[in-house]
Amino acid sequence: MTFNDRFIRACLKQDVDRIPVWYMRQAGRYDPEYRKIKEKYTLLEICRQPELAAEVTMMPVRKLGVDAAILYSDIMNPVASLGVEFDIVKDVGPVIENPIRSEADIDRLKPIDVEGDLPHILKTIQILSGELSVPLITFAGAPFTIASYLIEGRPSKNYIRTKSMMYGEPKLWNKLMDKLGDMVIAYLRAHIASGGKAFQLFDSWVGALSPADFSKYVLPTITRIFAELEDLDVPKIYFPGVASGELLPTLQGIQADVIGLDWRVSIQEGRRRLGERYAVQGNLDPFVLTAPMDTIKSYAKDIIDQGLMQNGYVFNLGHGLFPEASIDKLKQLTEYVHEYSASVIAQRS
Ligand code: CP3
């Protein structure tokens, strides 16, 4: 089979024959076959079996016809190597036994040893890079988002303890951001050395900050991560998560290729706030997938029409898929994005 590089081309703002599609959280519970595997193994057990993790990564590529795979893993996996014990609890998310709250807790975090502690993740990437006919996206959680789990100990609505460290003990906060920044850099570098073809940095919850606080407490680390990974010859995506529209103008200096948008800001407005540099990815509200197919298509059409106004557009959702999504609708949506965008592009040439 020939390699489908449409996703890479779009990330680099090159010409494409049709708009590439992938979905955040495309490997998951909406798929009965995945749910069956989950009856036997937990997420972390799947991640520790490279053949199985590779299989779960490939399932949505086969079933949905998407143009990229995303590694089956979780943003919490690398923190195991720092010495943090956690669990992924069903219907809750990451839960940390001993949250990180004092300077001693931060000092205890070890530097990441990807080859030593997370060889299963690299092995999964190696298997996939030999088998896939679409690019493999690997990922890491960004420092703010990981810190929010480490400090709160579990998913949070208002990030009270996280913000309390950020405002009250900025030296500690910066120390933690530095350590998590180092973790992300080494982790993603190892992914790409093992065969990853692009990466996404997930900052799912950083939209909880004002642009001024984001610029002061988080952006320096994001800027450093992309600067230190600049030499990697793969597309680099930053996803500033939900409700991040107000942060977009502050991102203009980071050395990423693509910025992920949530659905609260249109593609056109997102591009305006970001400036010329970046390709954009997004941004269908995942819950629009509960609507009838015609409604889903009309939302998608509006997004695609804006995406097609300039090179550098990847279709995705504005946040991850939810468990109740239907495979059949996702498949139809993927086909629709491909067919509709191909017809518009064909008319132009
Ligand atoms: O996108 C993919 O298909 C690749 C796999 C992937 C998972 N987690 C597997 C997973 C990715 C990219 C992630 C990233 C992730 N994990 C993020 C960033 C993306 C986002 O949604 O903003 C975050 C915040 C997490 C932390 C996390 N892990 C949460 C909040 C949950 C949900 C808990 C629940 O049960 O509702 C998880 C668990 C998780 N990670 C699941 C999957 C497929 C679902 C539970 C399971 O199948 O065990």
Side-chain angles (χ1 to χ4, degrees), residues 113 130 159:
D113 175 2
Y159 309 99

Side-chain angles (χ1 to χ4, degrees), residues 115-189:
E115 284 78 10
D117 295 331
L118 305 161
H120 45 284
I121 305 243
L122 302 182
K123 179 79 189 153
T124 306
I125 296 172
Q126 284 158 10
I127 294 170
L128 285 163
S129 72
E131 293 196 11
L132 283 167
S133 56
V134 295
L136 175 67
I137 305 167
T138 72
F139 67 90
F144 177 89
T145 293
I146 297 284
S148 76
Y149 289 116
L150 296 183
I151 298 168
E152 306 288 337
R154 50 175 48 242
S156 167
K157 278 209 166 66
N158 48 25
Y159 309 99
I160 180 162
R161 290 176 185 273
T162 309
K163 288 186 178 180
S164 143
M165 184 193 289
M166 199 177 83
Y167 296 124
E169 299 171 279
K171 278 216 177 81
L172 274 197
W173 174 259
N174 287 335
K175 203 176 198 179
L176 182 58
M177 288 295 102
D178 283 348
K179 283 199 165 194
L180 295 176
D182 291 345
M183 173 189 88
V184 165
I185 290 164
Y187 187 57
L188 289 174
R189 197 172 268 294

Side-chain angles (χ1 to χ4, degrees), residues 24-27 29 34 38 43 70-75 88-94 139 149 202 204-205 319:
M24 290 189 275
R25 288 289 184 88
Q26 66 190 16
R29 288 169 290 181
Y34 173 77
K38 281 302 300 284
L43 181 143
I70 179 155
L71 179 70
Y72 184 81
S73 177
D74 192 81
I75 57 168
I88 306 277
V89 178
K90 190 174 183 309
D91 299 325
V92 177
F139 67 90
Y149 289 116
F202 279 94
S204 306
W205 313 130
H319 197 203

